Amino acid sequence: MFDYKDLQQLKKFANFYQQVINEVDIGIHVIDETGKTVIYNPKMMEIEAMHIEDVINKNLRDVFMFYEGQESTLLQALYEGKTTKNKKQTYFNNKGQEITTLNNTHPIYENEKIIGAIEIAKDITKLEKLIRETRATKETFHTFDSIIGESNPIKEIIEQAKRATRTSSSVLIIGETGTGKELFAQSIHHNSERHDKPFISQNCAALPESLIEGLLFGTKKGAFTGATERPGLFEQANEGTILLDEINSLSIGLQAKLLRVIQEKSLRRIGDTKDTPIDVRILATINEDPLIAIEEGRLRQDLYYRLSVVSLQIPPLRKRKADIPLLVNTFIQKCNRNFQMEVRKIDEEILHLFYDYDWPGNVRELEHVIEGAMNLIVDEDRIDFTHLPNHFRNKTQFKADIPEMFQTNKKTDYKPFTRPLKQQLEEFEEYYIQKVLEQHNYNVTQAAKQLGLSRQSLQYRMKKFQ
């Protein structure tokens, strides 16, 4: 006889099971004896960036792709009865996106017959990508010859940096975003006695708090679920140089651990009980005034003193504007090579515009402006105002549109400040409207919108000024 109480109990346990599957912070994927997915929890959807309808009741091979010569650990468990523990697997979802997981996979038995397989997965996609990017930087070196500039501010800081290559003292490189701090760090390493040893760079702001400690200091197998025996970046950089970019992005707790590594010249992997001696030169960068960072609690004072044995203050572009023509020419030639173009120069009026601009993004912003302009050139052999990216033109448009007679820094026989105000303003109004119309290829609607006028008002002024 059917027992209603048993059914109620079964529903209760099914509800428990469903909530556990949905709430656990680890991916769960189960297939049946045909290879079709029967359980696929929300965490697994998040890891693989897919919806449940993309996977459920579909054969695994129809959904996912694997590198040639590799097989899914789930299918190995189903067809070979193979159990895998803490195995890294890289594969692709149905959109071609690369996924890397650390898997524990088991066959599911019933009466000694395999009826399915279960995989418990931890996402390490970001960590794997960061490790690959870090390895790639080992082979990328710049030297002091790569630093472009002949102005006194840049020549002075290059000379200071060259002196820092003679020792293994820590160096703190201070500078705004886009000033070339990593360029100086690589140059210091390349000119030092450690030049034939590893150079490893890590942007501290690019890492989530949960990953960075393991990435920097390494992990011991079994330290936590899915932990493998992995050396950290400090061990990989042993006898060489490590660059910690944006050091003020590290949490205060991790800064304390970093300070211990610097002081004791040894580190302890996560989960380990013994210390490993290391010989690493530490270079660090910061994109703000370190004293302000200390005052506002983003940088430990004791770490600052340890790192700033040598301090290099990279000048922003607005303080070395004499280097702009040389930088512009270098970036044009670089784009010519990359785009197979033959642009020779930049208009003189644009160069004056560059001198007047403050360049908050520094050298990097200038390079992007030149590259953006080169993308808009068709057959011309020079860059003019119309080629500049819109966002840059909008920032500097008023200065660019001021006629020469209104610019007090220009040498001209014309004296603009000797006539009635009305006459002066009318002349500038005519000039400004003409420039805006040219910019929009005489499209009256678009020009009126930019000028903040109605179409009728603009047409009236066009007739007035003929």
Side-chain angles (χ1 to χ4, degrees):
M1 179 179 284
F2 179 78
D3 191 332
Y4 181 75
K5 289 183 179 179
D6 288 344
L7 179 59
Q8 290 293 98
Q9 192 73 5
L10 188 61
K11 286 183 177 179
K12 182 179 179 181
F13 280 114
N15 184 45
F16 287 164
Y17 153 81
Q18 191 64 49
Q19 289 194 45
V20 170
I21 290 293
N22 288 344
E23 296 299 328
V24 292
D25 192 31
I26 199 160
I28 298 175
H29 193 164
V30 180
I31 57 175
D32 64 14
E33 66 273 13
T34 67
K36 289 183 178 179
T37 298
V38 291
I39 297 174
Y40 190 69
N41 78 332
K43 184 63 180 180
M44 204 68 184
M45 297 179 218
E46 179 187 325
I47 291 171
E48 296 178 337
M50 297 174 72
H51 298 292
I52 191 166
E53 57 267 22
D54 296 330
V55 184
I56 205 76
N57 293 325
K58 294 184 180 178
N59 193 286
L60 199 71
R61 287 196 179 100
D62 294 336
V63 178
F64 300 98
M65 294 180 292
F66 297 84
Y67 283 109
E68 187 176 350
Q70 294 186 5
E71 180 64 283
S72 159
T73 47
L74 259 177
L75 294 179
Q76 287 177 341
L78 179 66
Y79 295 129
E80 303 172 23
K82 185 177 180 180
T83 296
T84 56
K85 291 186 178 181
N86 294 327
K87 182 172 181 178
K88 185 176 76 174
Q89 180 173 238
T90 298
Y91 55 100
F92 301 88
N93 66 10
N94 62 346
K95 304 178 191 73
Q97 181 181 340
E98 187 179 83
I99 312 293
T100 303
T101 54
L102 199 63
N103 299 338
N104 285 284
T105 315
H106 307 270
I108 301 173
Y109 290 92
E110 184 180 84
N111 298 326
E112 299 184 356
K113 179 184 176 184
I114 298 177
I115 60 166
I118 180 171
E119 187 156 86
I120 299 170
K122 180 180 180 182
D123 185 19
I124 58 170
T125 304
K126 290 181 182 177
L127 179 61
E128 195 66 20
K129 183 181 178 183
L130 286 164
I131 289 170
R132 283 205 300 266
E133 288 174 351
T134 300
R135 285 173 182 158
T137 64
K138 292 180 183 179
E139 305 303 325
T140 305
F141 290 124
H142 290 284
T143 68
F144 288 113
D145 292 335
S146 308
I147 301 172
I148 304 161
E150 293 294 335
S151 64
N152 287 333
I154 199 68
K155 286 165 72 174
E156 286 175 10
I157 202 66
I158 289 172
E159 183 58 34
Q160 291 178 32
K162 285 180 176 178
R163 293 175 186 174
T165 64
R166 299 173 297 177
T167 70
S168 289
S169 298
S170 299
V171 180
L172 182 63
I173 305 172
I174 306 162
E176 297 173 10
T177 298
T179 49
K181 296 185 291 296
E182 182 158 352
L183 199 62
F184 274 86
Q186 290 193 19
S187 300
I188 290 169
H189 171 79
H190 193 272
N191 272 45
S192 72
E193 292 182 353
R194 298 172 182 256
H195 67 274
D196 57 344
K197 302 297 181 182
F199 174 86
I200 291 183
S201 171
Q202 180 57 58
N203 187 318
C204 299
L207 287 173
E209 184 71 21
S210 58
L211 292 180
I212 192 164
E213 184 175 359
L215 186 64
L216 289 177
F217 306 126
T219 55
K220 180 75 173 175
K221 186 174 181 180
F224 51 84
T225 303
T228 58
E229 195 80 19
R230 186 191 296 276
L233 297 184
F234 273 89
E235 287 183 72
Q236 294 178 44
N238 198 35
E239 298 185 350
T241 304
I242 187 166
L243 169 63
L244 300 177
D245 198 13
E246 297 188 50
I247 191 72
N248 48 323
S249 298
L250 277 183
S251 70
I252 294 299
L254 275 176
Q255 289 185 31
K257 293 184 179 181
L258 176 60
L259 181 64
R260 176 181 173 275
V261 169
I262 298 172
Q263 289 173 332
E264 301 183 9
K265 300 186 184 303
S266 66
L267 58 80
R268 182 175 296 181
R269 293 184 184 180
I270 297 176
D272 207 347
T273 57
K274 62 182 180 65
D275 292 338
T276 303
I278 56 164
D279 172 23
V280 177
R281 184 181 197 181
I282 299 175
L283 309 180
T285 74
I286 186 169
N287 55 8
E288 61 176 328
D289 186 330
L291 299 181
I292 293 176
I294 291 169
E295 184 180 335
E296 297 181 357
R298 289 187 297 277
L299 181 65
R300 286 179 62 112
Q301 189 173 32
D302 46 7
L303 179 61
Y304 165 68
Y305 289 128
R306 280 286 179 178
L307 291 174
S308 61
V309 176
V310 177
S311 286
L312 300 176
Q313 182 87 43
I314 312 302
L317 184 55
R318 64 181 175 274
K319 292 187 178 179
R320 46 176 290 220
K321 287 186 177 180
D323 292 326
I324 287 178
L326 186 57
L327 288 163
V328 166
N329 183 63
T330 300
F331 298 145
I332 288 175
Q333 296 311 317
K334 178 181 176 181
C335 289
N336 278 337
R337 291 191 299 271
N338 292 342
F339 304 155
Q340 288 79 53
M341 298 174 72
E342 294 183 0
V343 175
R344 294 186 296 107
K345 59 188 293 188
I346 190 167
D347 277 355
E348 196 68 25
E349 63 175 318
I350 305 306
L351 208 52
H352 286 296
L353 181 65
F354 284 179
Y355 284 134
D356 289 339
Y357 185 56
D358 280 341
W359 298 105
N362 294 292
V363 177
R364 185 182 298 154
E365 183 183 6
L366 175 59
E367 182 174 10
H368 290 170
V369 167
I370 296 299
E371 184 176 343
M374 296 283 280
N375 274 276
L376 296 180
I377 287 178
V378 182
D379 298 318
E380 303 92 333
D381 65 352
R382 65 173 61 197
I383 296 173
D384 63 33
F385 185 74
T386 62
H387 297 129
L388 298 178
N390 281 333
H391 67 87
F392 184 80
R393 280 195 286 176
N394 291 337
K395 290 180 190 174
T396 57
Q397 183 173 307
F398 184 74
K399 286 183 179 179
D401 285 340
I402 295 178
E404 183 170 307
M405 61 185 171
F406 289 98
Q407 296 183 25
T408 56
N409 62 334
K410 300 286 185 182
K411 291 182 179 179
T412 174
D413 294 328
Y414 184 70
K415 298 179 180 180
F417 306 113
T418 59
R419 297 187 299 165
L421 177 63
K422 184 177 179 181
Q423 186 180 352
Q424 192 87 12
L425 291 175
E426 281 186 353
E427 186 167 343
F428 178 70
E429 183 183 16
E430 179 182 359
Y431 179 89
Y432 192 85
I433 288 173
Q434 175 73 24
K435 285 294 184 181
V436 172
L437 283 166
E438 289 174 2
Q439 185 178 331
H440 292 284
N441 296 317
Y442 290 88
N443 184 308
V444 175
T445 302
Q446 291 180 7
K449 184 177 180 181
Q450 180 171 318
L451 290 165
L453 300 173
S454 68
R455 182 182 172 88
Q456 290 78 11
S457 294
L458 177 56
Q459 288 174 327
Y460 166 78
R461 285 169 169 79
M462 290 169 68
K463 288 178 182 177
K464 173 184 174 183
F465 297 124
Q466 298 181 349

